[in-house]
Amino acid sequence: MSTTTHPETTISADPALPAIRITREFDAPVDAVFRAHVDPELVAKWLGPRSVTMVVDRWDATTGGAYRYAHVRGDEEYRFYGSFHEVRPNERIVQTFTFEGFPDGVALETVTFSDLGGGRTRLDVNSVFETIEARDAALASGMETGVVEGYEQLDELLA
């Protein structure tokens, strides 16, 4: 039996700040990792936990664009939406992120893509929430499972 190992996903939250920091490396060039974040057909294959299917309603990953999608599991549906404030190819994406079930909890996310050389990429995600309580609610929501499993699926997609 073979097993697949994945790079570690680091998720941290400074107790004094309403922010979450995520760091992850990928064995793929930066342009491929970036493309997987902006192409809706690719995003739908990896974003979120393995137990959901992603249905994209709107995905315009350009500066000034917007998105809306649902994660579906059986009869359950979880909707998310936001705006792309800046999309700089192969460098960074700045976007808002809102879970429709908690519409007052908008976060501002900055995703930075770093070329590590040798066909490797580091992804740094910084999500800033309005309050520490909103940040803690995101952490308690099962976010970690969705992030870790999503990045594992992204590894598989990029392989």
Side-chain angles (χ1 to χ4, degrees):
M1 179 169 128
S2 67
T3 59
T4 303
T5 59
H6 298 276
E8 179 182 5
T9 300
T10 303
I11 301 172
S12 60
D14 181 326
L17 298 174
I20 297 171
R21 180 110 175 137
I22 301 168
T23 303
R24 176 64 147 72
E25 293 183 6
F26 294 91
D27 291 322
V30 70
D31 63 326
V33 178
F34 181 83
R35 188 174 56 254
H37 279 76
V38 297
D39 181 327
E41 290 182 19
L42 297 177
V43 172
K45 293 178 180 180
W46 70 266
L47 185 62
R50 293 183 186 277
S51 62
V52 300
T53 300
M54 183 173 174
V55 178
V56 177
D57 296 326
R58 177 178 182 193
W59 196 274
D60 177 14
T62 59
T63 298
Y67 68 89
R68 181 179 165 89
Y69 65 88
H71 280 152
V72 180
R73 179 189 302 118
D75 293 336
E76 299 173 341
E77 186 173 278
Y78 307 94
R79 295 195 150 280
F80 304 88
Y81 61 91
S83 300
F84 291 102
H85 291 266
E86 178 184 16
V87 178
R88 196 180 316 157
N90 303 329
E91 293 180 24
R92 102 189 208 142
I93 298 171
V94 180
Q95 66 189 43
T96 59
F97 175 84
T98 303
F99 169 48
E100 201 169 85
F102 188 60
D104 294 335
V106 64
L108 180 64
E109 298 184 336
T110 302
V111 182
T112 305
F113 302 80
S114 299
D115 186 343
L116 300 176
R120 293 184 44 76
T121 302
R122 185 180 65 243
L123 198 66
D124 291 294
V125 182
N126 189 44
S127 298
V128 180
F129 296 81
E130 187 173 349
T131 65
I132 289 174
E133 293 77 19
R135 180 215 55 205
D136 291 347
L139 287 168
S141 72
M143 177 204 89
E144 181 176 354
T145 299
V147 169
V148 170
E149 289 184 5
Y151 288 156
E152 288 173 356
Q153 292 176 107
L154 181 52
D155 284 331
E156 295 157 13
L157 182 65
L158 293 168

